[in-house]
Amino acid sequence: MPKATEIFEKVPDFDYSENATSTNPEEFEKVVRSRRSTRIYTDEPIPEEIMRRCLELTLLAPNSSNLQPWEFHWVRDRDKKTELIRLCLGQPAAATAQELIVCVARLDTWNRNRKMMIEAMERSDREVPASALAYYRRLAPLAYNQGPFSIFGPFKKLVFWALALRKPMPRGPAGKADMRVWAHKSTALGCENLMLSLRAFGYDSCPMEGMDSTRVRKLLKLPRAAEICMVISAGKRAPQGIYGEQIRFDPSLFLFEV
Ligand SMILES: Cc1cc2nc3c(=O)[nH]c(=O)nc-3n(C[C@H](O)[C@H](O)[C@H](O)COP(=O)(O)O)c2cc1C
């Protein structure tokens, strides 16, 4: 039986290959450069099929351990949408939007999804690396289970610290705060996929954290372990829908070659 950590230590035996599809960098750059946070939209609806494709692409974002700790709630009910606009403080980016998507980080679905990963591997026609199965069966529960009320957190921190005295060691997630960061990281990557997908289809978006996240959670009847990462509005940008030029500071402040 492989060690639970073997997947990190050596390349497993596997029988799979996937060609890197050729892509069009100019078109991609156009999508990235033309995405702007849009505060005013026109009345033009987004076809349902396009929304569905963008949401499907959202779920292709990379995510931690492939445990997909996210949910994207496309709010279609008229009354809920009206209330959501109010909870987004009535911002024009929400009020004029054709569509609103509540992006949720789930701190509590990792174990269900871990089991689904194991089932998917067991169902596979291919030989699945034993070390991958060992990771999901034995290491993932240790890594992500924080115990009732996250009481394992401080203990885990101590264990990680002690193990790291001798060799490089992941330092978490240890406790609820780490789990929150963990889930929000992956969810935010899904959010970016959604916004770039909308742009690629000719639509625009605005990410919003200017909202009452507690009330939004209640509106969607979500449990406490479901945290609102952001609300994304979408539609066709109005001629004056962007408030100003895109400002970015000197790249030397942010980009480093070490
Ligand atoms: C997490 C997050 C929260 C944001 N919240 C809001 C918001 O509540 N309202 C808003 O109008 N814009 C919001 N924005 C948009 C930013 O203001 C915008 O991304 C930034 O000014 C850069 O402009 P650009 O997106 O057009 O490049 C948010 C962006 C992010 C990533």
Side-chain angles (χ1 to χ4, degrees):
M1 201 195 307
K3 274 196 329 192
T5 52
E6 189 176 298
I7 192 83
F8 295 120
E9 289 156 13
K10 66 175 205 196
V11 178
D13 287 332
F14 66 100
D15 160 34
Y16 184 73
S17 70
E18 192 170 306
N19 288 333
T21 311
S22 70
T23 51
N24 185 331
E26 285 79 23
E27 284 303 312
F28 179 70
E29 189 166 343
K30 225 194 276 178
V31 169
V32 173
R33 287 192 184 279
S34 63
R35 183 216 54 81
R36 293 299 317 281
S37 292
T38 301
R39 276 52 183 249
I40 307 166
Y41 301 94
T42 67
D43 294 339
E44 186 179 323
I46 305 180
E48 178 170 337
E49 186 208 318
I50 290 183
M51 276 306 292
R52 291 194 186 284
R53 281 182 74 181
C54 292
L55 288 164
E56 193 184 315
L57 294 171
T58 299
L59 299 182
L60 298 185
N63 61 89
S64 180
S65 290
N66 204 25
L67 289 175
Q68 305 167 47
W70 53 35
E71 284 176 359
F72 298 88
H73 295 250
W74 177 16
V75 177
R76 308 191 69 188
D77 177 87
R78 190 184 288 270
D79 294 340
K80 282 201 177 90
K81 210 165 150 188
T82 305
E83 178 60 2
L84 182 56
I85 292 167
R86 191 179 79 85
L87 301 183
C88 290
L89 318 178
Q91 302 190 40
T96 67
Q98 289 297 311
E99 304 297 344
L100 291 170
I101 302 101
V102 180
C103 309
V104 178
R106 294 290 306 228
L107 281 60
D108 56 341
T109 54
W110 66 268
N111 202 26
R112 177 198 69 185
N113 299 355
R114 178 187 74 87
K115 288 176 188 159
M116 290 196 297
M117 264 309 282
I118 294 170
E119 280 161 22
M121 286 175 166
E122 287 172 344
R123 269 200 317 271
S124 171
D125 297 334
R126 291 172 194 283
E127 182 119 10
V128 172
S131 56
L133 267 167
Y135 174 79
Y136 285 104
R137 285 191 180 134
R138 291 188 278 128
L139 193 60
L142 283 178
Y144 300 113
N145 186 4
Q146 308 300 333
F149 304 104
S150 296
I151 53 169
F152 299 167
F155 175 70
K156 286 176 87 165
K157 255 195 177 64
L158 199 65
V159 171
F160 286 134
W161 174 82
L163 292 171
L165 289 174
R166 282 192 302 118
K167 56 179 185 172
M169 188 51 56
R171 307 301 177 112
K176 185 168 179 200
D178 284 5
M179 284 304 280
R180 297 183 66 202
V181 173
W182 175 78
H184 280 272
K185 269 191 227 174
S186 294
T187 306
L189 293 176
C191 293
E192 180 69 343
N193 262 29
L194 175 57
M195 292 185 278
L196 292 180
S197 302
L198 285 160
R199 187 79 280 280
F201 281 98
Y203 295 91
D204 294 283
S205 62
C206 186
M208 290 175 283
E209 60 186 358
M211 41 88 195
D212 184 330
S213 53
T214 302
R215 286 195 168 93
V216 173
R217 179 167 56 72
K218 287 181 179 156
L219 175 70
L220 299 182
K221 299 190 169 64
L222 293 169
R224 270 176 185 280
E227 299 197 349
I228 312 303
C229 179
M230 62 186 91
V231 177
I232 293 179
S233 63
K236 199 77 158 177
R237 75 175 71 164
Q240 294 209 300
I242 313 281
Y243 284 175
E245 278 172 19
Q246 193 170 42
I247 299 171
R248 289 297 187 264
F249 308 124
D250 187 335
S252 69
L253 287 170
F254 309 111
L255 300 177
F256 303 95
E257 295 186 19
V258 293

